[in-house]
Amino acid sequence: MPYLFTSESVTEGHPDKVCDQISDAVLDELIRQDPKSHVAVEALATTGIVVVAGEVTTKGYADVQGIVRKTLEEIGYNKPEYFFDSRGSGVLVSIHEQSPDIAAGVREDDLDAIGAGDQGIMFGYACDETKELMPLPIQLASRLAEKLSQVRKSKQIPYLRPDGKTQVTVEYSDDHRPQAVTTVVIAQQHDAKGADGKEITPARLKADLLEKAVKPIFGKYYQEGKTAVIVNGAGPWLLGGPAADTGLTGRKIIVDTYGGMAPHGGGCFSGKDPTKVDRSGCYMARYIAKNVVAAKLARKCQVQIGYVIGMSEPVSLWVDTFGTGKLQNGKLLELIKKNFRLKPGHIIQDLDLRRPIYRKTAAYGHFGREEPEFTWEKTDKAALLKKQAGI
């Protein structure tokens, strides 16, 4: 029978996403200076203060306080009335050298020998619901969250503040095909009054967001009178960001990935260099799954890779196409092993991950964005997979 599925996303001004961006901005600066930097940096943000802590081994140097202030300014936390801003907030830094026991397991003498920076399970997923081969609910939620920031920064809706959340509910048919968007939920921080001096009422906010954000993003999926749109369900929202809700790195991992449509191994991405398979292993798993679906070998594909700290070979590789595959899962697994290298060093090389590209990933999803830096989104192996499968 038909069913509903809901996914959530957040804007770059959400407290947890602020912390993700700070962590990845620090990572980018260190990788820019020393591509072999080993980094595990996290941030906490609350009223008037940002704390940055973690472990680093590098030949580079990062002005962490400067990076934090620049990141906050770029996001839009630039006014004292937010009770959290780029100039008035304090920054505490507690970064120390990486554990020698962990460092010993991540050998850098050659790419073939680099061990995984930690143990863990990594998942990748793709499906044919959108042109980006992502589940429709999270793709729409993330693009809407991104649009909220665009209309704020471009002054199309100048009274918006940085914090915001989106949520999209999609109706699916019996055969798991998306049919319609039933509900769109937006929580958006805003000023008390607009430039015209008039109060920002719920009706005014909803009308502006519908016209300048929802309709442009949803297109055919927004149906007047059928798609319910709920804006700021609790009423006006003036105090937001870290001043209202403490932020932490790595607390939006479902937003970062597939919106709950696929499993998650539990490790966050942000602030981690690519020897950490929490990040690079998930990127490779997505790359595999996306190429399988792009090759039309399945409508849906889920990949799991298991790693052990200090070991380069994964301990497991699993694939499932949920009954939509044109090959048996065992045959598909053989194709994957033949065409994709899974050692951490090989992933780093094949996806070109030792570049300062990570701040860009830290808001609006690591997947489903066909940006030039996002090498794991390429479908360059799809034709080869299709040929080898004989389809």
Side-chain angles (χ1 to χ4, degrees), residues 10-26 42-46 49-50 52 67-68 71-77 84 152 162-164 240-243 245-250 252 270 359 362-363:
V10 298
T11 69
E12 65 194 71
H14 185 280
D16 297 326
K17 276 286 143 216
V18 168
C19 292
D20 286 344
Q21 290 167 90
I22 288 169
S23 296
D24 274 337
V26 173
E42 302 183 25
L44 175 150
T46 189
I49 193 167
V50 176
V52 182
I67 290 170
V68 169
T71 302
L72 297 182
E73 180 72 24
E74 290 174 351
I75 291 170
Y77 284 107
F84 179 86
R152 169 176 59 88
D163 200 355
D245 183 12
T246 297
L248 291 169
T249 297
K252 284 290 174 285
S270 291
R359 162 76 193 280

Side-chain angles (χ1 to χ4, degrees), residues 39-289:
V39 181
V41 169
E42 302 183 25
L44 175 150
T46 189
T47 305
I49 193 167
V50 176
V51 180
V52 182
E55 303 80 45
V56 168
T57 299
T58 183
K59 295 177 182 178
Y61 168 78
D63 172 14
V64 177
Q65 183 170 123
I67 290 170
V68 169
R69 298 193 187 285
K70 183 173 185 286
T71 302
L72 297 182
E73 180 72 24
E74 290 174 351
I75 291 170
Y77 284 107
N78 50 22
K79 296 179 181 179
E81 57 263 37
Y82 295 165
F83 297 99
F84 179 86
D85 70 284
S86 58
R87 287 164 288 182
S89 297
V91 180
L92 296 180
V93 181
S94 181
I95 294 177
H96 54 276
E97 190 173 6
Q98 183 186 32
S99 161
D101 298 325
I102 295 176
V106 187
R107 299 175 297 278
E108 287 282 2
D109 46 338
D110 72 82
L111 285 171
D112 195 61
I114 292 177
D118 201 352
Q119 71 179 53
I121 54 174
M122 321 304 155
F123 287 94
Y125 181 80
C127 61
D128 64 359
E129 294 178 17
T130 65
K131 65 181 180 63
E132 298 85 2
L133 304 185
M134 286 286 286
L136 183 62
I138 186 62
Q139 192 67 9
L140 288 175
S142 292
R143 299 292 70 77
L144 178 58
E146 188 174 31
K147 189 67 172 178
L148 293 178
S149 290
Q150 289 174 356
V151 298
R152 169 176 59 88
K153 289 182 169 182
S154 66
K155 306 296 184 183
Q156 291 181 65
I157 311 180
Y159 58 79
L160 299 186
R161 292 183 176 185
D163 200 355
K165 301 174 77 173
T166 63
Q167 187 171 289
V168 176
T169 300
V170 173
E171 180 182 3
Y172 284 81
S173 62
D174 291 342
D175 61 348
H176 310 290
R177 295 286 193 181
Q179 300 300 302
V181 172
T182 62
T183 309
V184 179
V185 179
I186 300 174
Q188 177 61 55
Q189 185 190 16
H190 58 87
D191 293 339
K193 295 181 179 180
D196 56 7
K198 295 181 179 179
E199 180 184 359
I200 306 301
T201 64
R204 178 178 177 181
L205 178 62
K206 182 175 180 177
D208 284 347
L209 291 179
L210 262 176
E211 187 64 29
K212 294 184 170 64
V214 175
K215 291 180 180 179
I217 292 298
F218 282 70
K220 67 177 183 179
Y221 287 108
Y222 175 77
Q223 299 180 50
E224 199 78 46
K226 293 183 179 180
T227 305
V229 178
I230 302 167
V231 176
N232 288 8
W237 184 17
L238 306 184
L239 180 63
D245 183 12
T246 297
L248 291 169
T249 297
R251 208 158 53 176
K252 284 290 174 285
I253 57 177
I254 299 303
V255 170
D256 288 337
T257 52
Y258 308 102
M261 188 70 79
H264 197 294
C268 85
F269 302 158
S270 291
K272 296 178 181 177
D273 74 86
T275 66
K276 313 298 191 292
V277 285
D278 280 340
R279 177 167 230 151
S280 55
C282 285
Y283 288 174
M284 176 53 73
R286 162 65 175 172
Y287 180 49
I288 294 169

